[in-house]
Amino acid sequence: MTTTADGASRPKSPPPTGAPGARSASAPADGTEEAARRAVRRATDRLLDQQDAEGWWKAPFRTDVSYDAHDLFLRQLLGVLDERVAAASGRWIRSKQGEDGSWPLVFGGAGHLGTTVQAYVALRLAGHRPDEEHMLRCAAWVREQGGVGASQLTARVWLAMFGWWSWDDLPEIPPEIISLPAWAPMNIYSFSAVMRPALVALSVISAHRPVRPAPFGIDELFAPSDASTPSDASTLPGASASAGASTSSGRTPAPAGGWESAFHRVNTALRAYRRVGPRSVRKAAVNACVRWLLERQETDGSWGACTPMTTWVILALRLHGLPPEHPALKAAWGFLEDCAVWPEDDVREVQTVHSPVWDTCLAANALLDAGLATDHPALVRAADWLLTRQAERPGDWAVRRPRLAPGGWAFQFHNRSYPDNDDTAEAVLALCRVTHPDQARVDDAVGRAVRWIFGMQSGNGGWGAFDADNTSALPGKLPFFEYGEFCVDPPTADVTAHAVEMLAAVGKGRDPRTLRAVRWLLDQQEDSGAWYGRWGVNHVYGTGCVVPALVAAGVPGGHFAVRRAVTWLTSVQNADGGWGEDWESYADPGRVGRGPSLPSQTAWALLALLAAGERDSAAVRDGVRWLTERQTDRGTWEEPQFTGTLVPRAVAAWYGSYRHVFPLMALGRYVRHQGHGAVAADPAPGGTRPGPETPSPRR
């Protein structure tokens, strides 16, 4: 028997016979386990101290500085840019500039052209002069990369609104797309939920083609090959026609063939239609887009509870003619102000999104893994708060599942339109492990969530993030966004793994739908033995999600797929004992599983190895030692690197909680001799009982 951190006794499972890396089950004699126990206690205390009185946790969430730039662009275009806001935002943006003059997508990463162009313009709006040394370095870097013409589409859309790029050299986004039915091969619901509101807003903006020239030019960012001239456009209130626009000329040649050529021809036809099409049809389409947007505004004033979407929609609504005092716009501006944080009196950062549901779920599960009593007041408060966040009305997901009752959780404080399968799975995992005084209320919420998760399963057996069966190849071929296959929301291994782990925890591990998902996960394993990570960087994350889920669902630790995963993880472990994977692994296969050791990524690897029965292996011991030796005096870990992903290769994310909750999870399971936190494998006294069989949803 083994005594765990919460004082309970339970049998200890030895590693599978013949498992690679297996060692004697006796505790290490080098003090590793005691160091891990001390680290767990310190990390637990720190996490408890950070809980809000209402029961939630929320850590900072950060992306690259392009969204700080968008905030300034919006204010400048609408004539409301405050000098103090501009200067403070400029200081934040400037603080993230690299030595070569560029701005990266991730901490310490290579410069990104679109982000750099937008950051430069934002600094100009903030009062930085083009002859300052850091601005000269930036302009030279941009020209070396091909200039504005080589930058990403989003940057050029904003530049067109300032008169620096031609609207005619941007793809048409016809608002008439709003009228296409859901069964059409291409419609707004063919796009991912995280892009859908932006697409609708951009179609309104594209219909108006606004221009409000800035009081300066940016000729220093144009390379000789840049090709764009100003085009016909609607002038925003208070702006002159096209002062400050680029004087370059020419047009980008049409692609030679294939999908790009086809859509180029479609784009040409749409441009012609804009000039000769019935104005009444265009007006009706724009009105329909605006109605669609207004119907999806959240109670906090946002769209999708994130600043990028809300920024685009505010601009679209103002162009449509809504006055500044309109309730929808006043609420939206209030949301943007709430998302601005001032780390110093003269520095302003825009939080892309708030992540309280995700952070609370992870914090609660980490504390439970650490051995905190299941009826601890902090966990009960967290459960109470989570219960108030469950969606009670259908969102866009209901377009594909019209008969499915709601029951999911979203990522943010207020986002009932776009709950997601990932947050829902983690919320249920937390709720069903907490001993709650109103167990019937918890059971009801869990039951609704399980039915919703089953209903959101895609036809191939996996789960995407926001929609079911959102797998069309067409959106990725369109020039509206430059995200390729990530314009849609197909099933992914990491989200599917969390759903499987949750279903196993509530007694649904043998359900045929769960078993189908397990088979899908096994089929997704790569030749190396790893799984791709869609929402975290990258194969270390994917593998760290999948292995615990497979074991929780009954796949034995000696299964060939599990052993291959163990072999891969041990092969990419760094010499210092930790694990790391560079963001560039999304673009460069040679970097898969490679990078400096980081706390969150080391924890992900450990979670997989512990689930596989490798607790007493040298790899686990070295990884545990790496974490314990790098815990700070404040009981946490430092990790400025971005290990979260919004769009692979395009938008990375820094979760302030990851550096703390995942190491606590891994160390907690290590000291408690647990392979994973699933209730089915380790029932908590008084925890949620497996519910009755869930009927198959009608599709």
Side-chain angles (χ1 to χ4, degrees):
M1 302 295 286
T2 299
T3 302
T4 64
D6 60 355
S9 296
R10 56 179 62 92
K12 181 169 70 174
S13 301
T17 302
R23 297 290 189 271
S24 167
S26 61
D30 57 4
T32 301
E33 186 161 336
E34 182 52 38
R37 291 184 183 278
R38 290 194 301 269
V40 166
R41 287 193 293 269
R42 290 195 297 268
T44 297
D45 290 343
R46 178 174 174 82
L47 195 53
L48 289 172
D49 287 343
Q50 294 179 321
Q51 187 180 30
D52 186 84
E54 294 185 3
W56 47 264
W57 280 268
K58 182 180 75 68
F61 180 96
R62 186 171 296 151
T63 55
D64 62 86
V65 300
S66 60
Y67 301 121
D68 298 87
H70 294 181
D71 182 76
L72 296 189
F73 297 165
L74 175 68
R75 294 168 190 270
Q76 174 70 17
L77 289 165
L78 297 183
V80 297
L81 182 58
D82 176 84
E83 184 176 333
R84 177 172 178 260
V85 166
S89 296
R91 291 187 186 95
W92 173 258
I93 294 170
R94 171 74 174 90
S95 72
K96 302 302 175 184
Q97 187 177 21
E99 292 184 2
D100 62 0
S102 71
W103 277 262
L105 292 177
V106 298
F107 176 86
H112 183 263
L113 183 56
T115 299
T116 300
V117 168
Q118 293 172 92
Y120 182 94
V121 174
L123 290 186
R124 291 298 312 273
L125 292 174
H128 295 233
R129 302 187 315 275
D131 59 353
E132 294 183 62
E133 190 272 339
H134 65 285
M135 301 293 277
L136 291 171
R137 280 190 290 121
C138 176
W141 186 90
V142 168
R143 293 193 301 270
E144 289 171 0
Q145 304 302 312
V148 167
S151 65
Q152 285 70 25
L153 177 63
T154 300
R156 288 180 281 123
V157 169
W158 284 110
L159 296 186
M161 287 188 258
F162 289 111
W164 294 319
W165 194 259
S166 171
W167 280 101
D168 282 341
D169 280 347
L170 295 172
E172 290 284 331
I173 308 179
E176 288 82 0
I177 193 174
I178 196 74
S179 302
L180 296 176
W183 50 261
M186 172 67 69
N187 61 83
I188 60 170
Y189 300 103
S190 301
F191 289 81
S192 164
V194 299
M195 296 182 185
R196 198 173 300 141
L199 173 69
V200 176
L202 280 167
S203 72
V204 175
I205 295 168
S206 177
H208 287 279
R209 293 186 163 198
V211 173
R212 184 189 182 97
F216 53 82
I218 57 167
D219 288 346
E220 62 272 20
L221 298 187
F222 284 82
S225 59
D226 280 337
S228 183
T229 58
S231 60
D232 62 301
S234 300
T235 302
L236 282 161
S240 59
S242 59
S246 168
T247 57
S248 303
S249 63
R251 286 289 181 268
T252 303
W259 279 105
E260 289 187 6
S261 177
F263 281 119
H264 182 86
R265 292 193 294 271
V266 170
N267 201 54
T268 301
L270 289 173
R271 189 172 292 123
Y273 172 78
R274 120 181 312 279
R275 300 180 185 277
V276 302
R279 292 187 178 276
S280 60
V281 174
R282 173 56 57 96
K283 182 178 179 180
V286 171
N287 288 338
C289 288
V290 170
R291 286 195 302 272
W292 188 93
L293 290 169
L294 290 174
E295 289 169 358
R296 283 156 179 78
Q297 187 174 28
E298 298 293 339
T299 57
D300 62 356
S302 73
W303 279 267
C306 72
T307 56
M309 284 188 200
T310 304
T311 298
W312 289 118
V313 176
I314 287 176
L315 182 57
L317 295 181
R318 287 288 285 117
L319 287 168
H320 188 66
L322 268 66
E325 61 273 13
H326 190 283
L329 287 171
K330 291 177 67 176
W333 278 111
F335 171 78
L336 290 186
E337 294 299 336
D338 288 342
C339 286
V341 297
W342 295 72
E344 301 174 31
D345 288 342
D346 59 350
V347 177
R348 180 177 180 269
E349 174 193 0
V350 173
Q351 294 272 290
T352 312
V353 69
H354 295 304
S355 53
V357 172
W358 186 243
D359 290 339
T360 300
C361 296
L362 294 179
N365 280 309
L367 291 170
L368 287 158
D369 286 341
L372 195 67
T374 60
D375 60 352
H376 190 283
L379 294 173
V380 175
R381 286 197 304 273
D384 283 335
W385 183 79
L386 284 172
L387 290 169
T388 68
R389 300 294 95 193
Q390 190 171 24
E392 297 175 348
R393 63 177 174 83
D396 280 0
W397 54 266
V399 170
R400 286 186 170 82
R401 295 292 186 266
R403 299 178 180 179
L404 181 64
W409 274 265
F411 187 72
Q412 308 94 334
F413 281 114
H414 303 283
N415 184 2
R416 303 305 172 93
S417 297
Y418 299 104
D420 65 271
N421 294 310
D422 226 5
D423 279 275
T424 302
E426 288 296 325
V428 172
L429 278 170
L431 288 172
C432 67
R433 299 174 70 188
V434 174
T435 302
H436 195 275
D438 189 352
Q439 195 60 50
R441 184 185 177 202
V442 173
D443 288 345
D444 176 69
V446 169
R448 285 186 285 127
V450 170
R451 288 189 288 274
W452 188 75
I453 281 284
F454 270 137
M456 293 294 290
Q457 188 174 24
S458 290
N460 63 9
W463 279 268
F466 298 93
D467 288 309
D469 294 314
N470 189 328
T471 58
S472 173
L474 291 178
K477 307 295 184 182
L478 290 172
F480 299 168
F481 297 104
E482 294 175 318
Y483 299 148
E485 69 268 32
F486 302 110
C487 284
V488 294
D489 184 18
T492 63
D494 43 2
V495 176
T496 301
H498 289 152
V500 167
E501 188 174 9
M502 178 273 282
L503 292 169
V506 297
K508 300 291 184 182
R510 305 308 297 170
D511 186 288
R513 292 163 291 186
T514 307
L515 295 177
R516 187 155 56 97
V518 169
R519 289 193 293 272
W520 184 85
L521 283 174
L522 292 172
D523 288 342
Q524 297 303 304
Q525 189 175 30
E526 299 185 359
D527 292 341
S528 66
W531 279 268
Y532 179 88
R534 165 63 179 84
W535 296 96
V537 181
N538 172 353
H539 290 76
V540 174
Y541 178 72
T543 307
C545 293
V546 172
V547 174
L550 292 177
V551 174
V555 175
H559 189 279
F560 178 63
V562 176
R563 301 325 310 168
R564 290 173 64 209
V566 169
T567 299
W568 180 77
L569 283 169
T570 55
S571 74
V572 297
Q573 186 175 20
N574 289 328
D576 61 10
W579 280 265
E581 185 167 0
D582 193 277
W583 160 260
E584 295 297 332
S585 64
Y586 283 113
D588 181 0
R591 299 196 187 187
V592 167
R594 304 294 180 184
S597 298
L598 299 177
S600 62
Q601 293 176 327
T602 296
W604 296 336
L606 288 173
L607 291 172
L609 292 173
L610 289 167
E614 295 287 308
R615 181 189 182 278
D616 297 302
S617 68
V620 167
R621 185 167 63 251
D622 291 345
V624 167
R625 188 183 300 117
W626 188 92
L627 284 177
T628 58
E629 290 175 352
R630 285 158 181 80
Q631 189 180 35
T632 69
D633 294 339
R634 295 176 292 115
T636 189
W637 288 263
E638 296 301 330
E639 185 176 272
Q641 292 84 355
F642 287 42
T643 60
T645 307
L646 297 185
V647 182
R649 303 192 301 272
V651 187
W654 181 79
Y655 290 81
S657 63
Y658 278 16
R659 62 192 172 121
H660 191 91
V661 293
F662 285 114
L664 180 55
M665 279 184 188
L667 294 176
R669 295 182 192 184
Y670 175 77
V671 301
R672 298 182 72 205
H673 294 249
Q674 282 187 309
H676 53 83
V679 172
D682 183 20
T688 300
R689 301 169 301 280
E693 279 298 314
T694 305
S696 299
R698 295 163 61 191
R699 298 187 178 180

